Amino acid sequence: MDKTDSSDTNLYSVLAAGFPADRDGCAIETPEGRTYSWADIERGSARIANLLAGLGLPAGARIAVQVEKSPEALLLYLGTLRAGCVFLPLNTAYQAAEIDYFVENAEPSVVVCAPGSRDWIEPVVARHRVPHLFTLGQHGDGTLSEAVARQSGEFETVPRAADDLACIVYTSGTTGRSKGAMLTHGNVVSNARTLHLYWRWRRGDVLLHALPIFHVHGLFVACHGALLNGSRMLWLSKFDPDVVLRLLPRATVFMGVPTMYVRLLDHPGFGREAVRGMRLFVSGSAPLLPDTFRQFEERTGQRILERYGMSETVMITSNPYDGNRVAGTVGLPLPGVEVRVVDEAGKPCGFDEIGAIQVRGPNVFSGYWRMPEKTKEEFSEDGFFRTGDMGKWDANGYLSIVGRSKDLIITGGYNVYPKEIESYLDEMDGVFESAVIGVPHHDFGEAVTAVVVPLPGATLDEAALIAQLRSRIAAFKVPKRVFVVDELPRNTMGKVQKNLLRDKYAG
Ligand code: MCA
Ligand code: AMP
């Protein structure tokens, strides 16, 4: 058995303390029938950690990872933690220009990419002098596995203090540039422990894992819960309602974004029979419509538990496990997490008064990577983080999110900052200016939509603009529709009135 120091705050050590005594039991199972025991997790992560330790990396080295979801990708995450390095997950939809920015900004020592991306990532890695590039495929293929196979399966996990960095999670920025949220071992450990108790993880739980693992929801909230509980994960490489339906009867816990719940409800075979063994459905990352909550309860008898979080803070509030789960609210502050709603003067709002949501607690990140000024701006003098979300309390202390002060679109649980898309559009031939908005969408919650004004004499074609964007940025950021107009509505200050555009294109 691997040696881990139970007194240290290395997230891996904390998670491993929850692994079951029977290390031969199944920890991960894929729909194709591949299985991984707890011993495989220990050995596999030890091999990764040995590889990283042998590279002679500097303290705090970043390991940037853009790979398809696989059990091996999870081992890479755990091995990175064990080696005391900093994990930097990247959305698989990001393209060359986006990855170039992250690599330049984070200066990783190691980049791991999908074998199919190597041709375009190699020049990025060379340009920014990243010393090590490995590939990892969805079936565990690639140069990483070859290098790892030669390593020992024993590794003494490097002890970490609570304020040592564990991960950098990039979040989209209002200026169009992403910011790296620095999360410490202490941040993530405190949240994992809190959620483990709050959601009553218990013996025999089985998690159906269908979220991507490059964001907080799938990587932290879902995986940490199962690992800390020593629970088996039914591991889907991606969300597929048919496969979810087939596996649900063997699971007890599921976590998803609202789009996943909408799609399950759209499936004719989904109902009470499929959820017979389930004890918990969790929703987050985007607002769950009360209508979806109600339909889900009618069809299955289950009340989805909605919670609220951010990359910078991990989870902040949750509807209760035993108490009333109220549709349209994100529940109560988690134990140990302070949440306040304040008006423009910073004064706490009474219930039903809308104000800015602020958070303080052991879960709150240590700042934006190499952005001390930006970090300072986002914290109040008494140490509360300004989330950029607007909310209100009800009389029972439940929080509702009623909007965002940040100009952000959330589509299928992914965040898109209009400014970034506008800057790409504005650079295109024939475009004078653009405005990007989110409009209600049955499936994605909000759909990215662009309104563009051509230069005098120029003709713009919707399909051509969309095609150009698709070649440059992640597909989920590409507007589903582009409308060409003569001018954008502006107020007397000259500011584009996006609310008018949202109303006009809502249909
Ligand atoms: C895929 N497409 C999308 C999205 N996803 N378009 C808009 N928004 C999206 N979210 C597009 C693709 O570009 C493609 O377009 C087409 O849909 C099909 O692609 P595919 O990969 O098959 O998509 P899918 O499998 O249908 O994906 C839908 C999904 C996925 C399962 C809902 O988006 C997803 O896994 N979302 C979860 C996001 C997440 O984990 N967020 C957590 C962030 P085309 O056909 O035109 O090429 S963490 C967070 O927010 C905080 C901390 C929190 O509170 O959790
Ligand atoms: P991210 O930058 O990906 O961490 O996204 C965090 C943002 O997602 C939050 O600031 C909220 O705006 C939004 N969010 C997360 N959970 C919920 C929820 N349950 N309801 C509404 N918005 C949510």
Side-chain angles (χ1 to χ4, degrees), residues 171 284-287 306-311 330 389 401 404 406 410 415:
T171 76
S285 310
E306 183 170 10
R307 60 40 172 200
Y308 158 58
M310 286 184 80
S311 301
V330 292
D389 293 310
I401 297 174
R404 303 168 199 133
K406 52 197 177 189
I410 305 187
N415 293 1

Side-chain angles (χ1 to χ4, degrees), residues 169 171 180-184 186-192 194-195 216-217 220-221 307-317 334-339 357-368 378-379 383-389 401 406:
V169 180
T171 76
M182 299 190 288
L183 289 155
T184 64
N187 293 147
V188 193
V189 162
S190 78
N191 217 240
T194 301
L195 293 177
V216 161
H217 197 166
F220 295 172
V221 186
R307 60 40 172 200
Y308 158 58
M310 286 184 80
S311 301
E312 289 92 335
T313 61
V314 209
M315 296 304 104
I316 302 169
T317 68
L334 286 166
V337 179
E338 291 173 83
V339 181
I357 302 175
Q358 302 186 345
V359 192
R360 186 167 71 177
N363 54 316
V364 177
F365 75 138
S366 61
Y368 293 113
E378 300 299 344
F379 281 88
F384 276 80
F385 172 63
R386 305 182 215 273
T387 63
D389 293 310
I401 297 174
K406 52 197 177 189

Side-chain angles (χ1 to χ4, degrees), residues 80-260:
T80 300
L81 296 173
R82 295 188 71 175
C85 296
V86 177
F87 192 71
L88 196 169
L90 293 165
N91 193 318
T92 47
Y94 293 148
Q95 302 207 41
E98 292 155 314
I99 295 294
D100 192 274
Y101 168 75
F102 295 122
V103 171
E104 180 178 24
N105 190 256
E107 293 186 51
S109 299
V110 177
V111 169
V112 184
C113 69
S117 313
R118 187 178 188 132
D119 285 352
W120 61 265
I121 286 198
E122 214 155 30
V124 174
V125 159
R127 187 159 51 250
H128 299 295
R129 299 196 170 81
V130 178
H132 306 280
L133 173 66
F134 295 98
T135 59
L136 176 62
Q138 201 157 16
H139 303 289
D141 48 310
T143 60
L144 184 76
S145 303
E146 289 157 23
V148 156
R150 297 189 288 272
Q151 303 293 329
S152 157
E154 297 268 311
F155 185 83
E156 196 157 342
T157 297
V158 175
R160 294 280 88 180
D163 57 2
D164 283 330
L165 268 195
C167 297
I168 298 181
V169 180
Y170 274 85
T171 76
S172 330
T174 35
T175 56
R177 276 305 184 198
S178 289
K179 307 171 296 235
M182 299 190 288
L183 289 155
T184 64
H185 285 264
N187 293 147
V188 193
V189 162
S190 78
N191 217 240
R193 286 185 166 140
T194 301
L195 293 177
H196 185 244
L197 291 174
Y198 205 76
W199 292 343
R200 307 271 203 280
W201 280 90
R202 58 187 66 163
R203 261 174 94 104
D205 267 337
V206 175
L207 173 73
L208 179 44
H209 194 302
L211 282 158
I213 55 165
F214 41 68
H215 283 309
V216 161
H217 197 166
L219 186 64
F220 295 172
V221 186
C223 290
H224 293 171
L227 292 169
L228 193 55
N229 197 54
S231 272
R232 179 186 298 209
M233 288 192 261
L234 305 178
W235 189 261
L236 272 58
S237 57
K238 63 178 290 194
F239 175 78
D240 175 336
D242 287 325
V243 184
V244 169
L245 223 72
R246 180 158 60 79
L247 294 179
L248 264 180
R250 294 182 47 215
T252 64
V253 181
F254 178 86
M255 302 191 190
V257 296
T259 299
M260 295 178 177

Side-chain angles (χ1 to χ4, degrees), residues 212 217 238 263 285 307 309-310 411-414 444 470 475 480:
H217 197 166
K238 63 178 290 194
R263 290 187 184 182
S285 310
R307 60 40 172 200
M310 286 184 80
T411 166
Y414 289 140
F444 291 122
R470 287 185 73 92
K480 304 289 182 206

Side-chain angles (χ1 to χ4, degrees), residues 10 72 149 169 183 318:
N10 188 312
E72 287 73 16
V169 180
L183 289 155
S318 169

